[in-house]
Every structure is written in structure tokens, then in C-alpha cells.
Amino acid sequence: MSKGVGVYIGRNEVIAVSAIRTATGPQIVSYVVEPIGAEGSQEPAVGKEANRIKRINPEGKAVLKALEKIKEPGAFVNVAISPLEVVTRHFIMPVVPKKDEPGAVRNEASRYVPFKVTDSALDYRAHLTHKNVLSITVTAIRGEILQECLENLRSVSAKVLAVEPVYNAVGRAFAALNMIGKTNTYGFVVLQSDGNVNVTLTSKGIVYLSRDFILVGKMDEDKARFHGELKASMDYFYKLTGGEAIGQIFLAGAGDLKSWVEHLEHAFNYTIRFDLANLLHAKNLPPETLHTVLAAFGLALRPLGYRSPMGEIQLLPKTERRSDLPHLLKFLGFGCLAIIICFALVRLVVFQPYLMYLERKNDAILGPADREFPA
């Protein structure tokens, strides 16, 4: 059975999830939340293994422990890192020839991304919104931050299939759980254990806004800040889209999300619906845990064929990409099937008529002899 593995690397912890696709929908096989920098009690390594572990930094050690605890050491993984390290910007530009589009997007993105685009990993989604006008959403990460992340993963023998923004993974999880439905305009709010809150607002699959703010840990102050930042984001989204209003927001991440739902629904006078993830048929998985691991769950669903409603962003450089074993076997299987079908068609179309011709010739030659010298 095909299995996907997702790894979210936050500022305080690494979250790892393995998941499968079943007839009743996606299911979590195993999960873990591993604090970064926590030594904990474990069996001491010896020899070369001990020397190797000594050279691994705290983030790499947390990834190593997390993958071991979900019994997926050295697995093919799909990765996301803290939203604070990733930038998403939206802009419009004229339509250009397809071959020139990537260069034109990078050039235009340099006006909006707050670091050098030439030194970053970048991916984008383009939608034709009006005649000769493209709506572009760019997601970028500094090259040195991405390389550090990849080195941490390589140091523990993890094989990276994809790197994507958190909102993409969370959107995939909610879509796989059939919670988005036919809604075209909605938002995602992801709370991190370090107090960071990521807000992403989208319409018809286009991400118009993805930004972050920080909660300081003082409840009264945080309640006012949460409402104010979210309202400011939705007001800006309203202007960007020419009058589209957000009617539904999905929450995920750390903390008491039920309390935040109650507060935000009241603060917005119940004009906006706030939803939390619900995984049916989940065994021994408390709702609070599901909310915490949801981003990693969404990452694990990527190789299982589940798609994000905002498209598939890929920040992993092309030189680093690889195919996982299940996909490779599937490709080889389809290749073998195609060869068998091809040979069958060749036999049917080419050789079968020739064989029939030889049988007729054989009857023509041997038929009179059989009549003259009957057995």
C-alpha cells in the first residue's frame, strides 16, 4: 500500500506524519511532534553512528528522531518550513509568450519579494483573468535557508520529494477531508507554537494574500490583535479582488483553536464561518492533535494523489528533484502494459492477416492432394 510522509520543520518543533489513502478517505498511520533541541532519553549510539549524530545540528536531530518514531527512517518526504521563512506575493502582468513567462515573472517578482530573487528558490501560479492580463502568485524562499533545510534532511538520510508553503499543505488537507466544498472564496489561518500566525486568503484558486503576525502570549492583547490583523487582511483582500468578501476561514495549528473559533465568530458578529479539521474514522487521534499535525498531514497527502486547491507549489530546485519509488513502479507498470498492448496490436494488425494468408495457401496446395490420396 502506497504511503506518504510529511515533515513540517517549525522554529520550536518538527512534526512528522505518515498517511495512506483508503476507500473511506485519507488516514493517518503515525505521527509525532518532536521538540527541537530536546535531548530526551534514548539508546546511546556507538562508533561511526555516534560520530555522525554529533555532527548533526538540533533541527536535523529532531528530524531524525521524528522519522524514527513514526518508523520511516530515510524515507521519501514532502517538506514545509516555518511560514516566517517563506514569502508569497500577488501581482498582475501582461501576457507574454509561454517560453518567456518564467523569466518575466522572476523579473516582475523582484519588485515585490523583499530579498534578491536571483538568490532564492521561487515558484509561481499564473491565471488568465482578463484579456492579455495574467494574475500571478509567487512564492519564494531565500536560497541559503532552503539549502540549510535540505542539508539537515540529507544529514539524516531523508530523501526530499517536494518543498512547499504551509498554506498549500493545509489547503490540501482540508480539501482531502471534503471540507472546502464548492466555496470559491475562503482563508486559512495557521497558528504556530512560537506565536506566529499565518493568514492566507484565496479566491477561485488564486492566492491574493499570505502574511504573518505575532501573538505575544497575553490573552487580552492577543484577542484584540488577532481580530485586528485578520480584519485588516480581509479588507485588503476585498480591495485586491474588486469586492470579494471572505465568508469562511479554516483554522489549523497549535493552541486552543476551539476558543479562538468562538472568539473570532463573536468578534466578526457571526458573519464569517470558522471551521476546524475533522478526520472521520480516526482512531486514538484527539481533535487537538489533528489540528497540530494538519500541515504535516497535508504534506504526506501530496504523493498520494491529493491536490491542493491552490495548485502544487514546488520550491525544491529542479536539480534536487527525484521520483519516489511508488511513482517509479507505477510508471514502469504502465510502461510494461503499453508494450504488451503494442505487441498485441501488432500481432492483430500485421501478423494475423499474414498467418491467415499462409493458411489459405496451405489449403490451396495440400487440398487437392488430400482429395487424390485420401487417408
Side-chain angles (χ1 to χ4, degrees):
M1 181 180 294
S2 182
K3 186 187 295 183
V5 178
V7 175
Y8 168 69
I9 304 175
R11 302 178 81 186
N12 293 338
E13 71 285 306
V14 168
I15 303 174
V17 169
S18 63
I20 57 174
R21 185 168 194 153
T22 71
T24 58
Q27 293 296 323
I28 292 177
V29 176
S30 186
Y31 66 89
V32 67
V33 179
E34 184 66 33
I36 294 174
E39 292 300 326
S41 58
Q42 60 180 11
E43 204 170 298
V46 295
K48 291 182 179 180
E49 182 66 10
N51 292 329
R52 183 178 75 88
I53 292 176
K54 283 180 182 178
R55 294 193 296 270
I56 300 172
N57 65 17
E59 289 79 7
K61 288 179 180 178
V63 173
L64 177 63
K65 292 178 186 176
L67 291 178
E68 287 177 345
K69 287 180 179 179
I70 66 169
K71 297 180 172 56
E72 296 291 344
F76 289 91
V77 298
N78 299 276
V79 180
I81 64 176
S82 171
L84 283 174
E85 309 292 358
V86 180
V87 169
T88 297
R89 295 289 186 267
H90 175 268
F91 54 84
I92 59 174
M93 58 177 274
V95 172
V96 297
K98 204 67 180 174
K99 63 182 179 64
D100 299 328
E101 187 179 280
V105 168
R106 290 186 75 92
N107 184 58
E108 187 69 13
S110 65
R111 299 173 54 196
Y112 302 93
V113 174
F115 46 80
K116 286 186 178 180
V117 170
T118 53
D119 298 332
S120 68
L122 177 150
D123 197 11
Y124 71 93
R125 288 292 169 267
H127 296 81
L128 185 65
T129 53
H130 300 91
K131 186 178 180 180
N132 297 325
V133 176
L134 286 175
S135 174
I136 305 289
T137 300
V138 163
T139 299
I141 182 173
R142 286 184 175 89
E144 65 268 22
I145 292 174
L146 177 60
Q147 284 307 314
E148 182 182 354
C149 172
L150 294 177
E151 287 169 10
N152 289 337
L153 290 157
R154 290 193 203 101
S155 69
V156 298
S157 302
K159 305 166 190 69
V160 182
L161 294 173
V163 178
E164 64 180 340
V166 166
Y167 69 77
N168 229 49
V170 170
R172 184 183 298 109
F174 277 107
L177 297 177
N178 297 317
M179 295 191 65
I180 295 179
K182 297 181 179 179
T183 306
N184 286 325
T185 303
Y186 46 87
F188 300 101
V189 174
V190 184
L191 291 82
Q192 313 293 318
S193 63
D194 61 359
N196 177 63
V197 181
N198 177 256
V199 178
T200 301
L201 304 179
T202 177
S203 177
K204 301 180 180 69
I206 301 173
V207 174
Y208 285 92
L209 177 70
S210 186
R211 59 181 294 265
D212 302 270
F213 63 90
I214 300 291
L215 299 178
V216 298
K218 299 177 181 178
M219 187 52 68
D220 290 339
E221 187 176 335
D222 284 346
K223 284 183 175 180
R225 183 172 180 78
F226 207 143
H227 173 255
E229 293 284 355
L230 194 52
K231 184 178 186 305
S233 298
M234 291 191 292
D235 289 345
Y236 185 58
F237 173 86
Y238 185 86
K239 294 177 182 177
L240 283 175
T241 57
E244 293 193 33
I246 296 291
Q248 185 176 19
I249 290 179
F250 300 92
L251 271 72
D256 186 358
L257 299 191
K258 287 185 178 180
S259 294
W260 282 119
V261 166
E262 293 172 2
H263 165 67
L264 292 171
E265 284 181 338
H266 176 74
F268 284 98
N269 295 317
Y270 302 94
T271 58
I272 299 172
R273 177 176 172 177
F274 292 86
D275 283 316
L276 301 174
N278 180 28
L279 181 59
L280 299 177
H281 312 294
K283 297 179 181 178
N284 303 319
L285 183 65
E288 297 78 12
T289 302
L290 174 61
H291 305 155
T292 301
V293 306
L294 196 71
F297 178 44
L299 291 166
L301 296 179
R302 180 166 178 147
L304 300 181
Y306 292 97
R307 296 185 61 80
S308 171
M310 294 157 287
E312 300 302 302
I313 298 292
Q314 173 62 289
L315 296 175
L316 187 66
K318 289 183 179 180
T319 54
E320 303 273 357
R321 297 177 192 177
R322 66 173 83 202
S323 297
D324 61 341
L325 184 59
H327 285 172
L328 179 60
L329 292 176
K330 186 183 292 186
F331 173 78
L332 292 175
F334 280 123
C336 292
L337 182 61
I339 291 172
I340 292 171
I341 292 174
C342 182
F343 272 113
L345 289 174
V346 168
R347 184 184 186 283
L348 184 65
V349 175
V350 178
F351 290 108
Q352 192 68 26
Y354 185 64
L355 289 172
M356 293 175 65
Y357 167 75
L358 291 178
E359 288 178 2
R360 288 197 299 270
K361 290 284 289 183
N362 183 66
D363 290 341
I365 294 171
L366 298 179
D370 289 342
R371 290 192 295 271
E372 188 172 346
F373 304 103

